[in-house]
Amino acid sequence: MKFLFGGSRLSGCRSGLFETARNDRDKGNHLFVTVYLINFMKSRIFILSAMMLVGISTAVSADVRPAPIFGDAMVLQRDAVVKVWGTADRNEPVTLSFNGQTVRTRAGKDGKWCVKLEPMQAGGPYAMTIAGRKSRVNINDVLVGEVWLCSGQSNMEFRVREANNAAGEIAAADYPMIRCFTVQKSMSPVPLDDCFGSWEVCSSATVGDFTAVGYFFARELWNELKVPIGIIHSSWGGTDIETWTSADSYDALPENVRRDYGNAAVELELMTSPERVAMKKKYDADFASDPALAERWYENPGDPSTWQMMSLPREWSLTPLAREDGHVWFRREFVLSENAEGKAAMLALGPIDDNDITWINGVEVGRTVGYNISRRYSVGENILHGGVNTLTVRVTDTGGGGGLFGLPQDVWLNVEGKQYPLAGEWSYKPSVVTGAYGIVQYGPNVLNSLLYNAMIHPIVCYAIKGAVWYQGENNAGDAYAYRTLFPNMMENWREKWGYDYPFYWVQLANFMAEAPVPRESAWAELREAQTLALDLPQTGQAVTIDIGDPGDIHPRNKQEVGRRLALNALAKDYGRTNIVWSGPTYASSAIEGNRITVTFDTYGSELAVRNKYGYIEGFAVAGADRVFHWAKAWIEDGKVVVCSDAVDRPVAVRYAWSDDPQANLFNTEGLPAAPFRSDDWPGITVRKR
């Protein structure tokens, strides 16, 4: 077998010099895929994921060079020892000068060096110089302030330009003391030294591509602290927590919480064969043209028996298309009254992942590129018929989940005020999908630790104040494992950094359809797992059960998410003792006859209800039969009293225990009460790992 290595160097820094590691680097700016074959002890050969590294590479040279995260406009952490590291010729003397400090070291035999700057107060801008024998690097516009790591999946990746009031936010983004370094996406089966990106000064020209949660968090800190704020944004949409955990930490976990990654390694080896490479080229060509367009499936669908049935809306991960990317066509016939003949209309399809082209009766009525955009298309005159009409949607999925994934009420046709629902049974037929070409798409979830290695490990020496995290949607199917995985990852990162920094996260928002009756909920169990992680020191949680979007897994009110995270930091790390950082949280419950009285921790605030009649929604109680029923609830003497006519002797109480609960219990500052349950009865079946 041929061993291939590309991209960034391996290993990392601890005290002083780096460990010896390979330093091969391809020249130029490029996107490349490398298959790593690594031979471990006991002759075990693991063929790991196809690795995509996006970054700027430079040829190996003797010039002194800092790691890529050190660049113009960067922010260094105040009041902390700051490490700066990089490469030079072997044994080359290196001198670094910054803000009145000059430190010297010598590169090791592997050409790696690392120096430490003593703690500094907030300030700047300053210049940093790094000099070797024959070369010198100047880094300008450097600030000293507060640095926070922002990581997670798509809701952290979600950009300012996609948030509420995006145009206004971008126009007002004159905050030159806020800087953002976005880590370019990459994967690796082994720890890397370097990640790539550049520091950007916050302005109307740059902020649109900042992480929205990270930016609004940073803005709150700046407005209160008036010191420079740096955010390091390292996230990837649709990712499991396992891929963000280091291999040594993950391998030490109990077997019952570790994922079974199956035969991904074998499948990857097959993907490198000449036959599979040729099939990939054919797939790419067919994907670009889509023969179904030439065959005009939107007019002539061919033999109906070649189409299958699917209930829509539904995300592909729950269907036979779960592992497919590419083009899939959907059709639905619907009947209109004769009065609708030839009239204009409005078509709504909800959000589609990723892109679509839509026809009615063979006439294109709209197309959209973007997975998080709700589709609304104007249907012109003389397109609709009285009687049977045909709606055709070609959905293009480029990776991850796919399909029409909104709510049933999001899918309709409106003709002169009369609304025709379109949710229900549709027919579908793939035209160009990866499975038909023998292609298995690989991403960061194919094996544990791929993103930790490439997007976290390279920055573990960079001094930070703390981290904010928005992830969990991808792990909702196994919330009990998340009870272990999440705190383990936090402790893992802290151990790698060498100190226990603050770690704050966003609890999953409300999403999907409202439950008509109390039932088990995977999302509720994941929220519970997140809450349980508060047992770790220096942690905090932003509850967002009130600001989600039932039809969109990416709610747009990221301003409030950032603000609630910042409340935690300001109160716990920056001495703002007058700030209430949390809504009410469950403390205890007492059963008195047919009632349960619930006591909350309110953190210096008081309970409040967003209901003019004072009734609290979202509570349910169960008796010994463990069947929950909706309950009446009200505030009495600073506690919540709960009862149900359907339960004479309640033994357990739950609040906001569903995907999209009707929850209206807050504190007087407007922060929502956290979902909870007093029982710990088995709920959603844990998926096989």
Side-chain angles (χ1 to χ4, degrees), residues 263 267 316 319-325 434-435 439-442:
N263 62 344
E267 290 179 347
W316 285 6
T319 75
L321 300 172
R323 297 195 70 184
E324 301 287 11
D325 294 325
T434 50
I439 297 169
V440 178
Q441 299 286 46
Y442 283 88

Side-chain angles (χ1 to χ4, degrees), residues 181-204:
F181 183 95
T182 299
V183 177
Q184 292 188 14
K185 291 181 177 179
S186 61
M187 299 180 287
S188 173
V190 291
L192 305 181
D193 284 344
D194 290 349
C195 60
F196 296 95
S198 60
W199 285 93
E200 299 286 348
V201 178
C202 177
S203 70
S204 296

Side-chain angles (χ1 to χ4, degrees), residues 451-462:
L451 296 189
Y452 171 84
N453 290 336
M455 298 179 67
I456 297 297
H457 186 270
I459 59 177
V460 295
C461 292
Y462 200 92

Side-chain angles (χ1 to χ4, degrees), residues 360-667:
I360 292 183
N361 297 328
V363 178
E364 183 178 331
V365 296
R367 61 174 67 196
T368 302
V369 175
Y371 70 91
N372 60 350
I373 302 170
S374 187
R375 273 55 169 180
R376 291 287 181 93
Y377 296 138
S378 297
V379 181
E381 296 179 348
N382 301 316
I383 295 177
L384 298 175
H385 310 314
V388 178
N389 294 258
T390 303
L391 169 62
T392 306
V393 182
R394 189 193 78 170
V395 175
T396 301
D397 180 46
T398 59
L404 288 79
F405 65 90
L407 299 173
Q409 56 265 34
D410 294 335
V411 187
W412 46 262
L413 180 79
N414 190 295
V415 185
E416 292 189 332
K418 183 174 181 180
Q419 190 155 300
Y420 296 84
L422 296 175
E425 291 298 309
W426 290 52
S427 57
Y428 76 94
K429 184 177 181 179
S431 59
V432 181
V433 292
T434 50
Y437 295 75
I439 297 169
V440 178
Q441 299 286 46
Y442 283 88
N445 297 323
V446 69
L447 289 169
N448 63 281
S449 310
L450 295 180
L451 296 189
Y452 171 84
N453 290 336
M455 298 179 67
I456 297 297
H457 186 270
I459 59 177
V460 295
C461 292
Y462 200 92
I464 61 174
K465 179 66 174 182
V468 291
W469 174 258
Y470 198 155
Q471 189 274 342
E473 297 91 339
N474 258 49
N475 288 86
D478 199 356
Y480 279 86
Y482 204 80
R483 291 182 177 193
T484 300
L485 293 169
F486 184 33
N488 176 74
M489 190 206 73
M490 279 190 278
E491 294 287 67
N492 174 210
W493 286 14
R494 288 169 167 175
E495 184 273 330
K496 297 298 184 183
W497 256 270
Y499 57 98
D500 290 342
Y501 52 74
F503 199 109
Y504 305 127
W505 61 87
V506 183
Q507 190 186 60
L508 295 190
N510 50 306
F511 176 56
M512 296 181 285
E514 179 184 352
V517 296
R519 62 187 183 195
E520 301 303 331
S521 163
W523 276 53
E525 291 183 7
L526 196 285
R527 295 186 192 112
E528 179 183 53
Q530 291 174 311
T531 298
L532 290 172
L534 291 171
D535 288 343
L536 289 182
Q538 292 187 271
T539 55
Q541 175 172 258
V543 176
T544 60
I545 200 69
D546 60 318
I547 55 175
D549 184 335
D552 192 346
I553 201 171
H554 305 108
R556 298 177 185 274
N557 186 2
K558 296 297 194 278
Q559 292 90 335
E560 182 63 11
V561 177
R563 188 185 78 88
R564 292 178 186 180
L565 286 169
L567 291 177
N568 279 274
L570 290 170
K572 299 174 182 180
D573 304 311
Y574 298 114
R576 301 313 193 257
T577 57
N578 60 326
I579 289 178
V580 176
W581 73 91
S582 173
T585 59
Y586 174 77
S588 63
S589 58
I591 301 171
E592 303 170 2
N594 68 340
R595 297 182 175 186
I596 296 182
T597 301
V598 182
T599 301
F600 289 86
D601 290 324
T602 55
Y603 310 101
S605 185
E606 296 180 356
L607 299 178
V609 184
R610 288 187 177 177
N611 180 301
K612 65 180 180 179
Y613 301 109
Y615 296 121
I616 306 173
E617 301 174 277
F619 274 93
V621 295
D625 60 1
R626 299 189 177 186
V627 177
F628 280 88
H629 301 267
W630 295 127
K632 304 172 186 176
W634 62 94
I635 297 173
E636 188 174 290
D637 297 328
K639 301 179 181 180
V640 174
V641 179
V642 187
C643 67
S644 171
D645 293 339
V647 181
D648 292 332
R649 296 183 178 181
V651 299
V653 58
R654 294 178 175 182
Y655 171 70
W657 195 263
S658 68
D659 301 331
D660 179 33
Q662 293 299 306
N664 64 344
L665 182 62
F666 292 79
N667 62 15

Side-chain angles (χ1 to χ4, degrees), residues 74 96-100 124-129 138-143:
M74 68 180 173
L96 184 148
S97 298
F98 179 73
N99 191 19
Y126 305 113
M128 177 181 289
T129 62
N138 296 313
I139 302 177
N140 300 308
D141 190 22
V142 180
L143 302 178

Side-chain angles (χ1 to χ4, degrees), residues 314-330:
R314 176 175 296 183
E315 205 269 340
W316 285 6
S317 65
L318 306 175
T319 75
L321 300 172
R323 297 195 70 184
E324 301 287 11
D325 294 325
H327 304 306
V328 180
W329 292 64
F330 294 86

